[in-house]
Amino acid sequence: MKSVPVVLLSLCLVMSCDPDGGNPTPDAGTRQDAGTNQDSGIPDSGIPDSGTTEDAGIPDSGTTEDAGIPDSGTAPDAGTTEDAGTPPPDAGTTPDAGTTPDAGTIPNTPCGVPYLGDPNGALDFKIKALGPDWTSYPLTTGSTLTVIEPIQGGRVSFVGVYDVINIDPCGVSILGALKNPETGRLTLDSRTANLQRGPDGRGSNIDLDDASFSNVTLCPNQWSNKDIYDQEYDLIVILKDRLEKKVLQKTIKVRPACNVPGEDAYCRCICKAGYVLGSPCP
Amino acid sequence: MRRPLALLSLLALTNTACPGTVDPPTDQFALDPVPAGQGFQYVTRETEVPQGVEQQDCYFFKAGDIAAANGMPANEPINLHRIQISQRDGSHHMNIYRVRTIVGLDPANGEFQPASNGSGPCFNSANWADWPLLANTQQDGTIDWTYPEGVANVIQPDEWLMLQSHFVNASTQKTPQNYGRVWVNFWAIPKEQVKHELGTIFATKQSIRVCTKNPTPVFDGTCNLNNKNPVQIIGANGHFHSRGKQFRIYAWDGMSLERPPEDQRFYTSDVWDDPPMTRSPELDRTLPAGSGIWYTCNYEWTPPPIGCAALDAFDKEKYSTPDRLLDCCYTFGPQVDQNEHCNAFIYYYPKQDDVNCF
């Protein structure tokens, strides 16, 4: 696959190829065209989504996120440059952005955020999660995954995406799942969200909008036969565009952790294997 | 100090109206009491719900005390086999939970803990995050549900229960009599007749948002049972507010990443204000070992009756959403005109555990 100077391509898209003139500010008060949304309320026919079967026919360079390529450890949000100073990723992990589209082929988007990249290019993204201080950090194989108490109770991990390229950012479906690799049992959350676009033309969830992250339900632990914390799990992320024409799934090994200061004891109690609902916890 | 628990509980049975209010109307919704020795009845207070008000009240009682007062054996479990619930029009929901970890809601603070318009601990779901569900209804009028033969929801005599009653007299829902009230009859069977214990699942989607720029979101969630043997699902209902378009619940294998096929769907609701309670005998769905449920909520944004400024103000105050992200969003919460939910209530046997998926 030919390597593409992604930074240059991104600049092209921002400066001249974006019909909205690169203005990411949403039009206050406009209502999204209901007819272009992913799900207008018509019941799902029940046909499995093409490409959502794990790693089957999905245009993905592999299922391991950033294997062997450590990032700088910065917590990305819209506007920051990811991995400044790290060597460029090899051809196997950089999606081919395809031919440079002319202005007429970049589709309009209904949510005020311009298209991310090239509609003919392969979808790609990286994975991140909110940390103990509710700011996001990149996730790679072996990362710690923070277990957080959300405002409604219980414990979740907020799993999101960044460096998203070649997708309509409006009404994407983001699914996060934590899977016990020994038993195959998993817990998941899927939701529709709008990605935000950074100056580099790539998309991401914004930390302040935790509702746009997948809120992966973890505890009370009544689903896994081992502790949630300090054990190895598979984290699966599936990103789909609203028309379900672009789908990408990635899987990395993670170790969830009860690492929010002051909450670790209670977290370890309700996230322990064999927890019985309502048992006393410190 | 010994708390006069029996007295507190019995007070719940009295016909006490708030002082200075209009005489309550005649009650066409009242249930005849359960005969002595067969169970017990719990009746909430006459709660005023003026126009523009959402009233959500939490009632605490010890089932064993009320049961013993009605001739049930003292200090023995109550094997709930049939439940009757009657509510005045305007009820948004009525849930009964088993009290467990005390956070912000405490029986020690009194039998009756009212709250209005989103303020107060009775509105904060984190206060009952590990409280197992016992029973619920979202339907006006009366429901009368007898569980399958030998199936009972076992309540311990010293167990505190919380009944949460939500009446709405606002734009999208009305309480026509301006007063809410709930009657609940708990019918028991002797322990010799109990073959299977009933269990419950309560699942809720976190961080719901329905906004103008993402006006038709879909939320999917799962909840595992961790059952070593097959179980029977015999009751289900789903809860959202008026932006909700469809609520679906499926049998799920506990492992797949895709929404189950349609032949696995066992519950559908297309109405938010009087959602169906699908239950036995019509619902008797087998879940294989190691499985669970998958639930899906579809929404459609509509202009808010209270206006976007109010929605944004709530979003900012409750969720600290910065100005640049305000988008006239309905956010997670209990108030009908400005919040949304995606909550699933499931009843099954034999009980593996009461399950909460948050």
Side-chain angles (χ1 to χ4, degrees):
Chain A
M1 185 160 55
K2 184 178 177 181
S3 294
V4 176
V6 174
V7 170
L8 283 179
L9 177 62
S10 301
L11 281 173
C12 165
L13 292 171
V14 170
M15 295 174 68
S16 64
C17 305
D18 185 341
D20 293 330
N23 178 8
T25 307
D27 180 4
T30 34
R31 182 169 177 184
Q32 190 169 354
D33 178 0
T36 59
N37 286 317
Q38 180 178 6
D39 186 338
S40 59
I42 299 169
D44 181 345
S45 64
I47 299 169
D49 301 321
S50 61
T52 57
T53 305
E54 191 167 5
D55 298 337
I58 298 165
D60 178 4
S61 60
T63 57
T64 305
E65 167 69 12
D66 291 343
I69 302 174
D71 61 33
S72 64
T74 54
D77 60 15
T80 60
T81 303
E82 174 58 12
D83 291 344
T86 55
D90 64 27
T93 58
T94 301
D96 180 356
T99 56
T100 304
D102 59 34
T105 61
I106 299 289
N108 290 328
T109 61
C111 66
V113 180
Y115 197 95
L116 302 171
D118 178 2
N120 299 318
L123 169 61
D124 196 27
F125 63 85
K126 296 191 176 92
I127 303 172
K128 65 178 182 177
L130 294 182
D133 58 355
W134 290 73
T135 59
S136 62
Y137 61 100
L139 289 180
T140 56
T141 296
S143 286
T144 294
L145 178 66
T146 298
V147 179
I148 296 179
E149 181 183 9
I151 196 167
Q152 283 104 49
R155 292 294 187 277
V156 304
S157 285
F158 293 95
V159 175
V161 293
Y162 70 101
D163 252 11
V164 183
I165 193 71
N166 302 330
I167 189 173
D168 179 343
C170 303
V172 302
S173 163
I174 176 165
L175 181 151
L178 198 73
K179 178 173 146 183
N180 182 331
E182 289 93 41
T183 64
R185 297 173 64 80
L186 57 86
T187 178
L188 66 80
D189 169 272
S190 175
R191 57 189 57 219
T192 314
N194 296 337
L195 299 176
Q196 300 303 314
R197 178 184 168 122
D200 60 359
R202 296 191 171 227
S204 73
N205 300 100
I206 288 188
D207 292 1
L208 290 172
D209 185 12
D210 55 75
S212 73
F213 286 67
S214 177
N215 292 212
V216 184
T217 306
L218 299 180
C219 312
N221 180 12
Q222 296 175 282
W223 65 276
S224 178
N225 68 349
K226 59 183 184 180
D227 297 340
I228 299 300
Y229 50 89
D230 301 339
Q231 301 285 327
E232 187 173 84
Y233 283 85
D234 290 337
L235 177 67
I236 302 164
V237 178
I238 301 175
L239 186 66
K240 279 190 237 178
D241 71 351
R242 61 191 167 88
L243 299 178
E244 300 188 357
K245 291 186 175 176
K246 290 200 174 190
V247 182
L248 179 59
Q249 175 177 322
K250 295 198 173 185
T251 303
I252 56 173
K253 298 283 185 192
V254 296
R255 291 180 75 86
C258 291
N259 58 354
V260 177
E263 295 179 8
D264 51 319
Y266 189 84
C267 176
R268 286 172 174 270
C269 181
I270 67 170
C271 295
K272 189 166 183 55
Y275 169 76
V276 175
L277 187 65
S279 301
C281 285
Chain B
M1 177 177 71
R2 187 174 178 181
R3 193 175 299 129
L5 296 167
L7 179 60
L8 277 174
S9 301
L10 284 171
L11 278 174
L13 302 176
T14 62
N15 219 4
T16 309
C18 297
T21 57
V22 176
D23 287 341
T26 308
D27 260 307
Q28 64 188 97
F29 300 99
L31 293 174
D32 293 332
V34 178
Q38 296 184 36
F40 64 94
Q41 183 180 75
Y42 188 88
V43 185
T44 67
R45 295 185 181 198
E46 195 84 345
T47 188
E48 189 177 7
V49 192
Q51 175 61 41
V53 169
E54 294 199 33
Q55 189 70 22
Q56 182 154 306
D57 301 330
C58 288
Y59 296 83
F60 291 91
F61 57 97
K62 269 199 180 176
D65 292 343
I66 304 179
N70 199 41
M72 298 286 290
N75 302 317
E76 287 204 12
I78 300 136
N79 302 305
L80 177 65
H81 178 64
R82 173 189 177 196
I83 190 161
Q84 290 176 292
I85 304 171
S86 182
Q87 309 187 94
R88 297 233 184 98
D89 290 342
S91 172
H92 179 63
H93 77 262
M94 194 285 299
N95 301 338
I96 303 176
Y97 298 97
R98 304 172 187 261
V99 175
R100 295 290 186 266
T101 303
I102 304 298
V103 180
L105 263 179
D106 189 343
N109 293 333
E111 177 252 348
F112 175 56
Q113 298 183 32
S116 300
N117 293 338
S119 295
C122 188
F123 271 108
N124 184 355
S125 60
N127 288 330
W128 55 88
D130 73 347
W131 295 11
L133 174 72
L134 183 82
N136 87 299
T137 182
Q138 301 175 78
Q139 293 179 298
D140 288 338
T142 302
I143 70 163
D144 188 345
W145 184 22
T146 301
Y147 305 146
E149 183 185 342
V151 176
N153 205 341
V154 181
I155 307 169
Q156 299 305 317
D158 61 347
E159 197 168 1
W160 280 98
L161 301 181
M162 179 193 65
L163 184 153
Q164 183 182 78
S165 173
H166 186 184
F167 278 85
V168 178
N169 201 2
S171 304
T172 49
Q173 195 166 13
K174 300 287 184 190
T175 301
Q177 296 171 296
N178 294 325
Y179 281 85
R181 198 163 204 180
V182 182
W183 292 256
V184 185
N185 280 350
F186 298 77
W187 296 81
I189 55 175
K191 61 185 176 187
E192 300 77 36
Q193 294 182 18
V194 179
K195 297 177 193 168
H196 306 288
E197 192 172 349
L198 186 74
T200 60
I201 302 173
F202 172 65
T204 184
K205 283 274 94 200
Q206 300 270 1
S207 308
I208 299 284
R209 288 178 80 82
V210 184
C211 310
T212 66
K213 292 182 181 60
N214 184 20
T216 56
V218 183
F219 293 81
D220 289 85
T222 58
C223 202
N224 279 274
L225 261 181
N226 217 9
N227 50 320
K228 293 183 173 52
N229 298 300
V231 301
Q232 299 300 119
I233 292 185
I234 60 166
N237 60 106
H239 178 76
F240 47 27
H241 296 164
S242 63
R243 279 64 52 183
K245 305 310 290 184
Q246 192 171 62
F247 200 116
R248 293 168 276 169
I249 308 177
Y250 303 80
W252 173 59
D253 64 8
M255 291 189 283
S256 65
L257 292 163
E258 299 167 8
R259 191 181 298 145
E262 286 304 297
D263 64 358
Q264 298 300 307
R265 191 199 304 194
F266 61 84
Y267 177 84
T268 306
S269 172
D270 298 315
V271 291
W272 74 274
D273 52 352
D274 193 20
M277 172 73 171
T278 305
R279 59 180 191 264
S280 62
E282 289 75 27
L283 176 60
D284 190 9
R285 180 82 188 215
T286 301
L287 279 193
S291 56
I293 59 120
W294 178 301
Y295 62 111
T296 302
C297 291
N298 295 61
Y299 299 88
E300 183 171 348
W301 187 93
T302 54
I306 61 172
C308 283
L311 286 196
D312 287 344
F314 181 90
D315 195 358
K316 201 168 175 177
E317 181 187 345
K318 177 80 173 177
Y319 297 106
S320 302
T321 300
D323 288 347
R324 64 188 174 92
L325 293 181
L326 294 174
D327 186 23
C328 198
C329 298
Y330 297 90
T331 51
F332 178 93
Q335 295 182 82
V336 168
D337 281 352
Q338 62 194 61
N339 298 137
E340 275 299 335
H341 285 305
C342 175
N343 298 343
F345 304 83
I346 309 288
Y347 301 83
Y348 77 95
Y349 74 92
K351 180 175 177 176
Q352 311 295 295
D353 189 7
D354 291 315
V355 177
N356 279 6
C357 290
F358 269 62

